[in-house]
Each structure stands twice: as C-alpha cells, then as structure tokens.
Amino acid sequence: MIAHLKGRLDATGIDHAVVDVGGVGYLVGASARTLAAIGPIGEAVMLHTEMLVGEDFLRLVGFASASERDWFRLLTGVQGVGARVALAILSALEPGDLSRAIASQDKAMVARANGVGPKLAERIVRELKDKVGGIAIGGASMSAAPTGSGADAASALLNLGFRPAEAASAVAAAEEELGVGATLDALVRLALRKAAK
C-alpha cells in the first residue's frame, strides 16, 4: 500500500498528475481541486494517495489533503460511486461543503458534480449522514485551492485546456480583483483575460 508520494511534479492533465519520485514517474488520478492546489510543474509536491486494485488494473489516486482522501474512501463505499464519480464530486465540492451538504441532506448540492444524478445524490447523502462526524472539515494543505465559485471557475479553465497551476493563479487574481461576492460568470471572464496575458 502506498500512503503518499513526495517528489517533483513532472506533468499534469485534466484528471491526473505525474509525480517523479527518485526517477520513477507515478501517474496519479486526481480531482480538479487537487490539481489546482499542488503547484507548478517542476516544483516539489506531496500527495496523499489511495491505491485502487481491480482484476485487470492497478491505479493510484492522489489528494492534496488527508481529508480529501478520507472523503474519497467514504464516497467510494457508497453503492454506485466509483473512483471517477468520487473524483467528480471532490472536484465540484470541497470537503467542508460536502460535509455540510450531507449533514443538511442537500441532494441538489451533491448532484452538481458531473455524473451524479438525483437518485445517486440521494443515496450518497442518506448513506453518509451517520458517517461524516469522523472527518475533519477542510485541511491546511488545501487552503491554496479555490473554493465555491472560484473552484467552479478553475474547473471551467481546466476544461478549456489551461494547466491546473495557470487556472488556479488566474482565478485567484480574478477573485482578488472582483471581491468575495463575484459571480461565476464574472470570475471566468476575468480569469480568462488574466490567463491569456
């Protein structure tokens, strides 16, 4: 079992990162939120990991914080939630938002994630309601990641082909200029202008 990887960030993609650890490149699946938080290519990086083992695959998934990894484990314990759906949920919602959504049984918030329909969202909030007490909300290493509209804006830039570090810094700059109450639309527009410079 691999608990974490510490090395140099070699490359990133839409849903993964490559971490060079002593000359070996580990391909690690990751949420958009983790990819936005881990920093620029070529810099040192540490990811908490979960190893997925199947009949015909071996896959490593990485997280910027231990709390995000804990949420991944909880989510994949729900019937119908595989690794891809769990990462989509963690891309759409930070651990604190997810905790609040489940505590308040807010199916609509969980259903914001790609690939999560109303029935699956209902199952997730119902099955996890009694299990969320043991997970810390947020995580110190996630503080650099955008949240709320910022996370959605960063996700939009990632979908347009920007690298995670570019998307995160452009959105952070846009949030700083527009202030806390900025709409998603305004954030994306300004972040695109800043990223293009």
Side-chain angles (χ1 to χ4, degrees), residues 126-185:
R126 189 178 64 242
E127 287 189 26
L128 296 183
K129 184 164 174 66
D130 298 328
K131 297 180 182 177
V132 296
I135 293 186
I137 293 177
S141 58
M142 288 292 284
S143 59
T147 60
S149 293
D152 292 339
S155 178
L157 265 64
L158 288 171
N159 290 336
L160 291 170
F162 288 90
R163 288 197 296 265
E166 290 174 332
S169 66
V171 169
E175 282 184 310
E176 193 174 312
E177 188 171 318
L178 294 172
V180 180
T183 65
L184 175 60
D185 189 46

Side-chain angles (χ1 to χ4, degrees), residues 71-112:
W71 270 109
F72 178 82
R73 289 173 177 165
L74 271 181
L75 288 165
T76 54
V78 174
Q79 183 187 352
V81 179
R84 193 176 303 276
V85 170
L87 287 174
I89 293 169
L90 291 168
S91 292
L93 299 169
E94 68 172 352
D97 290 337
L98 191 50
S99 185
R100 283 186 289 278
I102 288 170
S104 64
Q105 296 287 280
D106 188 347
K107 304 181 295 272
M109 185 177 257
V110 177
R112 284 176 34 195

Side-chain angles (χ1 to χ4, degrees), residues 4-165:
H4 72 265
L5 289 177
K6 215 179 250 190
R8 184 177 56 80
L9 184 60
D10 204 40
T12 57
I14 291 174
D15 61 354
H16 68 275
V18 177
V19 180
D20 185 307
V21 181
V24 178
Y26 289 88
L27 180 71
V28 184
S31 70
R33 193 171 300 281
T34 287
L35 291 170
I38 58 177
I41 290 170
E43 295 294 314
V45 66
M46 197 284 271
L47 290 175
H48 300 272
T49 58
E50 182 76 2
M51 184 177 278
L52 307 177
V53 180
E55 213 171 277
D56 56 352
F57 70 88
L58 188 62
R59 186 172 174 215
L60 208 52
V61 184
F63 309 93
S65 71
S67 65
E68 189 184 15
R69 181 187 57 200
D70 293 343
W71 270 109
F72 178 82
R73 289 173 177 165
L74 271 181
L75 288 165
T76 54
V78 174
Q79 183 187 352
V81 179
R84 193 176 303 276
V85 170
L87 287 174
I89 293 169
L90 291 168
S91 292
L93 299 169
E94 68 172 352
D97 290 337
L98 191 50
S99 185
R100 283 186 289 278
I102 288 170
S104 64
Q105 296 287 280
D106 188 347
K107 304 181 295 272
M109 185 177 257
V110 177
R112 284 176 34 195
N114 288 338
V116 179
K119 285 185 180 175
L120 183 55
E122 185 174 357
R123 186 182 310 139
I124 290 167
V125 297
R126 189 178 64 242
E127 287 189 26
L128 296 183
K129 184 164 174 66
D130 298 328
K131 297 180 182 177
V132 296
I135 293 186
I137 293 177
S141 58
M142 288 292 284
S143 59
T147 60
S149 293
D152 292 339
S155 178
L157 265 64
L158 288 171
N159 290 336
L160 291 170
F162 288 90
R163 288 197 296 265

